[in-house]
Amino acid sequence: MFKNNLEALVLGALRDGPKHGYAIAKAIEKAGQGALRMGENQLYPTLHKLERDGFVAAEWHPQEGRPPRKVYALTEAGTEELARHRERWAAFASGVSSLLGAEVGHA
Amino acid sequence: MPDPIRSYLDELRSRLVRRVPEGELSTILDESEGHLLDLAEERGGPEAAIAKFGTPARYAARLLRARDVVLPVWRAAREPLAVVLVLEVLDILMALTMTYTNNGRLVAGLHLALTGAGSVAFFFACFRARRMLWVPALVFCLAQTFLFAGISGILESARLRSAAVWQFHALDARDREIGTIRSALVTGRELFKKPEASIELQALPTPLSGFATPRTLLHRVEAVSITGRALDLSWNGSPLLFQPSSTRVEVPLGPATYAEAQRRWNEDFDLVSQKLATLDKDNQQDREDLSRWRDSWFAAAVGRFPLAAAVWTRLLLAMLELNALAYLLYRIRRAIPPRRLA
């Protein structure tokens, strides 16, 4: 339905600022309002891929009594990629809405 | 760190170690630990956090797939190939041991089931390895060829040994028979040297009873010889029985016939002795041949090799076809994006 949508969701979750993995997962969960279900084990492979592709950059933040957190932030390329995802999604959603709207209108 | 999370991370490490660079592995483990601790706080315990996270096996598989790390060939293929090997060995054993079964449908059904299961296992191996398994398939088929020839040769040798036991018994019996005849011949000659015509048939040694002349003995010797030759030509799984000659010459032991019997003994004695010597020599030769034949399991195995090679060459082609199909499916699967949320 929407290719590479998990990557798009992760990039979208980072739009309003850098986050660590857990916060990204929570952000997607919250934004999806229960409609978006993502396993935690899907998140890190996606984040690492985005990092390898240069769409996100990460840095370690030390914590008191806990392992350091790796915080991810959008890079410039990531911001552009997010924009492309947004355009594709807008076109897709517009097409589907138009079709569904026409069908609803005929019914 | 709670023990369940530590165990989870240990298992994750064991699945990723040597397949992901050490630095990346530490990153993954640290990130996962932080995430699991956060989840545990949120959900009220490490078990709930782990349940949300998914099994280490699945998580490791996702991480490796995202890095396009494939399993080493032998690691990916060893279990399915071991299954194939066991199935094929069973198939070979079945094929060799059920040769004498008349139920062809049963044999064919079992063969089909074992081969089919082996093919599925190999297909799974190819798919799991995510690449062409040319070398393992070739090695596997070569191993199977030698295995087939070896097992076949050993079973053939066992059959030969079993046959040889009976044949040695038969040769022993033939030796005994020749000895008995020779002894009877000599005894008869000694008896006929005596001038008295009053020898009673019943007084002759038991082996001579009913064999009044060397000519009759010769009949018996020839019968033994023929049986002996037949022994070499065929073996039907049962000990050979030496039948006495059906030709029995009744020689009345009166004075008139005694001289005649005496003359015939003397005339034929050399001929029969020579015949016995030839039989002795034949027997010895047969014994040596049989010993060589019995001990030639290796020759039997080598003899089966062309058949084994033909069978496993065909199998190799089938395996490579399966391999190509599995690899094609893997490529198709890779071409389809695996992650879909909406």
Side-chain angles (χ1 to χ4, degrees):
Chain A
M1 202 167 164
F2 184 39
K3 282 185 181 180
N4 301 325
N5 45 18
L6 189 55
E7 288 175 17
L9 294 178
V10 171
L11 291 174
L14 291 172
R15 194 169 48 126
D16 54 354
K19 291 183 182 66
H20 52 75
Y22 180 75
I24 294 169
K26 297 304 293 178
I28 292 173
E29 203 175 306
K30 189 178 170 192
Q33 297 175 334
L36 299 177
R37 291 178 186 277
M38 179 193 63
E40 255 71 358
N41 58 25
Q42 291 174 291
L43 175 64
Y44 290 101
T46 307
L47 271 171
H48 297 163
K49 184 174 183 302
L50 288 171
E51 190 181 5
R52 275 199 307 278
D53 292 344
F55 295 141
V56 299
E59 60 181 39
W60 288 96
H61 288 196
Q63 291 190 111
E64 209 43 53
R66 295 185 69 156
R69 282 191 189 281
K70 193 176 180 185
V71 176
Y72 296 87
L74 277 181
T75 61
E76 201 170 318
T79 309
E80 288 167 10
E81 179 70 4
L82 178 60
R84 280 192 290 275
H85 276 304
R86 198 181 298 123
E87 283 168 21
R88 279 201 294 271
W89 178 254
F92 175 77
S94 160
V96 172
S97 297
S98 155
L99 192 61
L100 293 179
E103 281 192 357
V104 169
H106 283 297
Chain B
M1 189 192 335
D3 282 346
I5 292 178
R6 185 182 300 279
S7 305
Y8 185 95
L9 294 173
D10 286 345
E11 190 177 341
L12 186 63
R13 174 194 290 277
S14 72
R15 286 176 181 276
L16 297 176
V17 73
R18 286 193 302 276
R19 293 165 70 189
V20 171
E22 195 56 41
E24 286 187 39
L25 180 58
S26 312
T27 302
I28 290 167
L29 293 173
D30 284 347
E31 273 188 308
S32 305
E33 183 187 345
H35 198 124
L36 279 164
L37 289 172
D38 287 338
L39 268 177
E41 277 176 15
E42 177 197 321
R43 295 186 163 244
E47 286 80 7
I50 288 169
K52 177 103 182 6
F53 223 83
T55 63
R58 195 168 175 77
Y59 184 30
R62 281 187 189 279
L63 287 163
L64 291 172
R65 197 183 305 150
R67 284 167 172 70
D68 212 19
V69 175
V70 294
L71 285 168
V73 170
W74 289 108
R75 189 162 168 187
R78 67 186 173 190
E79 291 93 353
L81 282 180
V83 172
V84 181
L85 190 67
V86 169
L87 290 169
E88 294 298 342
V89 168
L90 285 176
D91 199 19
I92 291 169
L93 287 174
M94 188 207 74
L96 293 175
T97 53
M98 295 183 78
T99 309
Y100 304 108
T101 303
N102 289 326
N103 193 340
R105 198 172 284 184
L106 173 71
V107 173
L110 280 172
H111 172 69
L112 199 65
L114 290 168
T115 309
S119 302
V120 170
F122 183 73
F123 184 79
F124 182 67
C126 300
F127 197 75
R128 194 173 169 210
R130 301 183 192 177
R131 70 189 79 171
M132 300 299 280
L133 297 179
W134 300 105
V135 175
L138 193 63
V139 170
F140 175 78
C141 286
L142 277 176
Q144 287 280 53
T145 302
F146 283 101
L147 197 67
F148 182 86
I151 292 176
S152 168
I154 288 165
L155 288 179
E156 181 69 6
S157 168
R159 199 176 68 78
L160 292 181
R161 278 173 184 277
S162 164
V165 168
W166 291 110
Q167 297 221 23
F168 275 117
H169 284 322
L171 282 174
D172 290 344
R174 197 164 72 174
D175 276 344
R176 281 197 300 276
E177 186 79 356
I178 290 168
T180 304
I181 292 169
R182 180 176 283 125
S183 163
L185 195 64
V186 171
T187 307
R189 192 187 187 199
E190 292 302 312
L191 282 173
F192 277 116
K193 279 180 182 170
K194 296 178 181 176
E196 302 90 62
S198 57
I199 298 170
E200 293 292 331
L201 184 63
Q202 288 75 13
L204 290 172
T206 309
L208 212 56
S209 303
F211 300 98
T213 71
R215 185 74 71 183
T216 314
L217 280 175
L218 185 61
H219 283 311
R220 184 169 175 185
V221 168
E222 280 168 354
V224 172
S225 175
I226 290 164
T227 315
R229 285 291 114 198
L231 172 75
D232 290 336
L233 295 173
S234 66
W235 177 74
N236 60 5
S238 59
L240 293 164
L241 299 174
F242 291 91
Q243 301 296 331
S245 169
S246 58
T247 309
R248 294 189 179 205
V249 180
E250 295 294 334
V251 182
L253 292 179
T257 57
Y258 179 76
E260 175 62 15
Q262 189 180 38
R263 188 181 62 77
R264 286 171 63 182
W265 269 107
N266 291 332
E267 273 180 11
D268 296 344
F269 183 82
D270 289 341
L271 177 67
V272 174
S273 297
Q274 195 180 352
K275 185 80 180 172
L276 286 177
T278 308
L279 268 179
D280 253 349
K281 195 177 165 188
D282 284 354
N283 228 21
Q284 187 56 35
Q285 186 61 46
D286 286 349
R287 201 173 282 280
E288 286 171 13
D289 289 349
L290 190 56
S291 298
R292 269 201 301 278
W293 183 54
R294 180 192 60 185
D295 298 332
S296 64
W297 75 268
F298 183 73
V302 171
R304 301 298 290 249
F305 195 81
L307 173 67
V311 168
W312 296 107
T313 303
R314 201 176 60 184
L315 180 79
L316 176 64
L317 292 175
M319 287 176 99
L320 293 180
E321 279 174 22
L322 279 173
N323 198 170
L325 182 63
Y327 189 63
L328 179 69
L329 285 177
Y330 165 66
R331 299 291 299 186
I332 291 171
R333 187 166 172 253
R334 267 192 76 189
I336 299 170
R339 297 179 291 272
R340 292 186 176 195
L341 278 179

